[in-house]
Amino acid sequence: MHARLRRPKAAAAEFARYLRTETVGGVVLLVATAIALLWANSPWGESFRLLRDFPIGLDALHLKLTVGEWAKDGLLALFFFVVGLELKRELVIGELAEVRSALLPVIAAMGGMMVPAMVALAVSAGSPGAQGAWAIPVATDIAFALGVLALTGSGMPSSARIFLLSLAVVDDLGAIAVIAIAFTAKFDLLAFGAAILLCALYWYLQHKRIRSSWLYVPIGLLTWYAVHASGIHATIAGVALGLLTRVRPDPYEREAPALRLEHRLQPYSAGFAVPVFALFAAGVPIGADALRMLTQDPIALAVIAGLLAGKLLGIFGFSFVAVKLGLAEKPAELSWRDMAAVAMLGGVGFTVSLLIAELALPAGEAEVAKAAVLVASAVAALLAALMLLRRSRAHRGTETVD
């Protein structure tokens, strides 16, 4: 009887463990994207648009958002909270605790933002959407990129994952900062002040070792609401709270709050939040006309060039120069060919690039830009996968590692 009662709980725990693996997270994201594209381009495409644009929420609190906006503003905040937790752990007790080691992904991320933006600006110069298109290729999709690395780079050293994770997080934080500065139509100082106070309260409770979820959940929701009301994109609330979470366990604790929260929330982030966002963001028309636009529209060409050429040149180039000048230190077990493969993964813009496209461009131009993001991200993932498979074989000893 007792064994029978425990079985559903054990099955749920096993399913959650399965969702935590990056390979599965990448596959779930890929499946959600495929469903979105098939649904949006099927005879039932109108039902997709009706669902995506269906309003839900309280108008009195300025929270009457469409289903697509809830996915973009709400669910992605959970994803960025988990990302913030992992980054904080790496910065404090992980491989990025050393300044010279932490500098390399930061410098690489700067290159991965600046060069794609300049490439996109150069390609789209003179077109009506150029003022928004430059920001689209600055981001790297953390979940998708890590999924490709886990799937095809199993023979790569663990430092490749840490470098990619740190690079992608800094990259996306920069992209969110770009959103906050360049694409915030309004700014409410009072709401922003409330968000700062709530973050300070969260940090104080962490400092005092308070563990009650009855306090933290309302604080988290109120912080999200305050950031949303301030006019800044609400996902920044997730990042801020993640970075304020304690990562060093006390002697009496089995694990620190950051690790415990990451363990609990990762399945919801990878198995629900990110795929649902992808479902509503990736549903763009991909017909003959749309594909023709990708080869003719300056915005589409700017996005593709920025993600494929700009990312590779920016990430690899800045890393190479930083190491040669002695500003940063490359992991000893990674060769420059390994770094090139990881840099190619930076071209997988997907989640945040889709988000920026929606915020930066009018509806019609955004659809073309999102189609360009999907195509460029798929090509970057394929090229990176081929490079990673080759480098994985090298690290297993079937080829000479340079």
Side-chain angles (χ1 to χ4, degrees):
M1 176 70 176
H2 291 299
R4 212 176 282 141
L5 287 172
R6 282 197 297 265
R7 201 167 295 148
K9 187 175 180 180
E14 179 63 20
F15 183 64
R17 185 198 65 76
Y18 189 61
L19 283 175
R20 284 187 196 99
T21 63
E22 284 153 0
T23 306
V24 174
V27 170
V28 172
L29 185 57
L30 209 56
V31 169
T33 304
I35 291 172
L37 288 169
L38 290 171
W39 189 2
N41 290 279
S42 73
W44 303 281
E46 188 58 30
S47 66
F48 171 84
R49 287 177 280 278
L50 285 173
L51 176 60
R52 181 192 61 194
D53 299 334
F54 186 77
I56 300 175
L58 297 173
D59 207 6
L61 295 175
H62 304 289
L63 284 179
K64 192 163 188 180
L65 309 175
T66 66
V67 172
E69 287 171 336
W70 276 112
K72 177 177 65 181
D73 293 359
L75 292 180
L76 276 191
L78 173 62
F79 166 67
F80 275 103
F81 178 65
V82 174
V83 167
L85 291 173
E86 188 159 2
L87 179 63
K88 174 72 175 290
R89 190 156 48 83
E90 291 299 335
L91 286 170
V92 175
I93 59 175
E95 294 194 26
L96 299 180
E98 293 292 329
V99 175
R100 279 170 61 83
S101 299
L103 271 177
L104 184 62
V106 172
I107 292 171
M110 290 171 60
M113 294 179 66
M114 293 167 60
V115 177
M118 290 188 291
V119 169
L121 271 175
V123 174
S124 63
S127 63
Q131 67 273 16
W134 66 270
I136 297 171
V138 302
T140 294
D141 187 277
I142 299 169
F144 210 155
L146 286 175
V148 173
L149 178 62
L151 196 62
T152 62
S154 56
M156 296 284 285
S158 60
S159 52
R161 181 190 176 278
I162 300 300
F163 176 74
L164 178 62
L165 172 69
S166 309
L167 156 74
V169 170
V170 175
D171 210 319
D172 284 352
L173 287 178
I176 294 297
V178 167
I179 292 170
I181 296 166
F183 305 117
T184 297
K186 63 181 182 67
F187 180 72
D188 189 318
L189 187 59
L190 189 62
F192 183 71
I196 296 294
L197 289 174
L198 286 162
C199 284
L201 176 59
Y202 180 93
W203 173 85
Y204 178 77
L205 293 174
Q206 286 284 301
H207 181 68
K208 289 298 183 181
R209 290 358 189 214
I210 306 298
R211 296 183 55 165
S212 174
S213 58
W214 293 101
L215 284 172
Y216 286 119
V217 171
I219 289 171
L221 292 174
L222 286 170
T223 304
W224 177 89
Y225 176 71
V227 173
H228 176 78
S230 73
I232 300 172
H233 198 267
T235 50
I236 203 72
V239 177
L241 294 178
L243 291 173
L244 291 171
T245 304
R246 186 165 55 87
V247 296
R248 293 187 188 276
D250 287 329
Y252 58 86
E253 291 180 310
R254 290 179 56 190
E255 54 189 12
L259 187 61
R260 185 171 65 251
L261 284 168
E262 189 182 331
H263 185 80
R264 288 180 181 176
L265 296 177
Q266 176 64 24
Y268 298 102
S269 173
F272 181 71
V274 176
V276 170
F277 167 77
L279 177 68
F280 291 111
V284 296
I286 303 289
D289 291 339
L291 291 175
R292 187 162 48 249
M293 288 287 285
L294 294 183
T295 62
Q296 299 173 356
D297 187 86
I299 300 301
L301 292 172
V303 170
I304 292 170
L307 285 173
L308 291 179
K311 280 289 185 183
L312 177 61
L313 292 172
I315 294 170
F316 184 84
F318 271 54
S319 298
F320 186 82
V321 171
V323 171
K324 293 303 179 184
L325 292 178
L327 300 174
E329 190 175 287
K330 179 174 68 68
E333 62 272 24
L334 290 181
S335 72
W336 284 113
R337 291 184 184 182
D338 298 330
M339 296 291 284
V342 176
M344 191 72 247
L345 266 180
V348 181
F350 206 69
T351 306
V352 182
S353 290
L354 292 174
L355 173 62
I356 295 175
E358 289 191 348
L359 297 174
L361 298 171
E365 292 176 3
E367 294 293 288
V368 176
K370 288 199 289 183
V373 168
L374 294 175
V375 170
S377 296
V379 173
L382 180 60
L383 292 174
L386 294 173
M387 296 168 74
L388 286 166
L389 285 169
R390 182 177 176 82
R391 299 312 302 157
S392 290
R393 286 198 299 270
H395 282 282
R396 291 192 185 103
T398 57
E399 296 178 12
T400 303
V401 181
D402 52 25

